[in-house]
Amino acid sequence: MPDSVATHMPVSPDTVRSDNNLSETSVVADSTETPVVIFNALEQKTCHEVDAPRIIHLRNATLGRVAYAEGIMPSPRPKLPGYDSGVTALLVVLFLFIASNFRHYSTFIKTFAQDLFKVRRRANIFDDNNTLSETRVLLSLISLLCVCEGILLYSAVGLRGEMAVSPFAGIGMLSVLAGGYYLCQLAAYRTVGYLFSNEPDTLQWLKGFNASQSLLGLVLVIPALLSLFSPGLAPLLLSLSVLFYGIARFIFISKGFRIFYDNYTSLVYFILYLCTLEIIPPVILCQLASRISTSI
């Protein structure tokens, strides 16, 4: 038998026909039929499924749909909040507002640092007079703080599940919520100072609060921007943001303690102040942020 003849079953000599002019031969074997030899396979123009060799005993074979041939079902790529056009426009407007007052930053950042740490027991006649430049710098930094807090709150709520609003709407509403929280704190601190202290000490306390929030806004810029474009880093960035917020609050509370502490009675009032204005409001803020982002 020639080497070019391949069979899967024994073939009897009677079923094989030879020809000197053939260059190739192929044999097709079936489990129920007599094997047939196809001559001139290269010259044959058509090929049928029944002509293909068959394996009688097929073990460990996969029948039906083959998974690797179909591939993996595609899933939509998550849209990063930083690619939202509304969020981009909000950041551009904010940075332009900051850039318009940038030449005054070096001067007033030093002033904010002094307002945050120093306590003067004597009144200063210039304490009540904020210049227009200082007011604009303070407003720009507080706006930066509110937007950064809105972005971080949006990232925190996003870790808990799907958002019911778009990134721009969610960040915008949470930024407004952070701004309202700042104004409520400012009003509460002024009320407490009016009831339990004099005007110069209250003014120092409010300046310390504004200084702590302004410097906190500068610190939170990097975590907020990274959370927009790298949501996978959100847990780490949120932890760092909470740490920075805690440090700013600790410095501000320490200044308030140095201003208002006189005796043991004032210590009781100070503890009540901590529970009322420093512990409960942040918890309420987080609950409101979660409801706004998931229900509206």
Side-chain angles (χ1 to χ4, degrees):
M1 182 182 297
D3 295 335
S4 60
V5 177
T7 61
H8 295 273
M9 295 180 59
V11 181
S12 61
D14 296 336
T15 60
V16 180
R17 294 173 295 179
S18 59
D19 193 341
N20 296 330
N21 296 326
L22 294 178
S23 60
E24 282 191 22
T25 61
S26 61
V27 178
V28 178
D30 194 283
S31 60
T32 60
E33 298 178 357
T34 303
V36 179
V37 179
I38 299 177
F39 300 93
N40 297 329
L42 296 178
E43 298 179 359
Q44 189 174 353
K45 303 300 182 182
T46 60
C47 182
H48 302 281
E49 184 179 358
V50 296
D51 298 331
R54 300 178 181 178
I55 302 176
I56 299 176
H57 299 288
L58 191 63
R59 297 179 180 178
N60 301 325
T62 301
L63 302 178
R65 300 172 62 183
V66 183
Y68 73 85
E70 297 180 357
I72 301 175
M73 293 299 296
S75 59
R77 182 179 179 181
K79 185 178 180 181
L80 299 179
Y83 293 155
D84 186 85
S85 58
V87 176
T88 303
L90 177 63
L91 293 177
V92 169
V93 172
L94 177 63
F95 288 142
L96 287 177
F97 182 42
I98 293 174
S100 63
N101 302 285
F102 192 77
R103 64 181 181 274
H104 303 294
Y105 272 41
S106 59
T107 300
F108 290 111
I109 286 178
K110 296 178 181 178
T111 303
F112 292 152
Q114 294 176 358
D115 292 337
L116 182 59
F117 292 99
K118 291 185 178 181
V119 175
R120 293 188 298 269
R121 290 301 178 183
R122 292 182 300 173
N124 192 334
I125 61 174
F126 298 103
D127 285 343
D128 294 333
N129 300 324
N130 291 336
T131 63
L132 178 61
S133 299
E134 182 178 359
T135 303
R136 292 178 59 182
V137 170
L138 179 62
L139 182 60
S140 63
L141 291 178
I142 295 301
S143 301
L144 177 64
L145 171 70
C146 294
V147 173
C148 290
E149 288 180 345
I151 294 172
L152 293 170
L153 287 173
Y154 183 84
S155 300
V157 176
L159 293 177
R160 302 176 59 181
E162 288 292 331
M163 307 293 292
V165 294
S166 64
F168 173 66
I171 292 174
M173 289 186 294
L174 293 177
S175 299
V176 172
L177 178 63
Y181 177 64
Y182 166 79
L183 294 177
C184 290
Q185 284 182 303
L186 198 62
Y189 293 145
R190 180 172 288 277
T191 302
V192 171
Y194 175 78
L195 294 176
F196 297 98
S197 184
N198 52 43
E199 184 64 22
D201 289 343
T202 301
L203 187 60
Q204 287 191 72
W205 196 35
L206 293 177
K207 281 182 172 291
F209 172 69
N210 286 328
S212 67
Q213 299 304 288
S214 300
L215 298 177
L216 179 63
L218 292 175
V219 175
L220 293 182
V221 170
I222 295 179
L225 292 180
L226 287 178
S227 65
L228 286 178
F229 298 97
S230 300
L233 298 176
L236 175 62
L237 297 174
L238 290 173
S239 300
L240 291 176
S241 301
V242 171
L243 177 63
F244 295 147
Y245 179 85
I247 293 174
R249 282 291 170 178
F250 177 77
I251 297 174
F252 168 67
I253 293 172
S254 299
K255 179 173 182 177
F257 184 81
R258 287 184 292 165
I259 292 175
F260 296 111
Y261 179 76
D262 292 327
N263 48 42
Y264 291 106
T265 304
S266 60
L267 181 60
V268 175
Y269 288 123
F270 189 78
I271 294 175
L272 293 175
Y273 146 75
L274 288 179
C275 297
T276 306
L277 296 181
E278 301 298 340
I279 297 177
I280 297 177
V283 176
I284 297 176
L285 176 67
C286 294
Q287 294 294 329
L288 289 176
S290 178
R291 292 185 180 182
I292 289 174
S293 300
T294 57
S295 61
I296 294 181

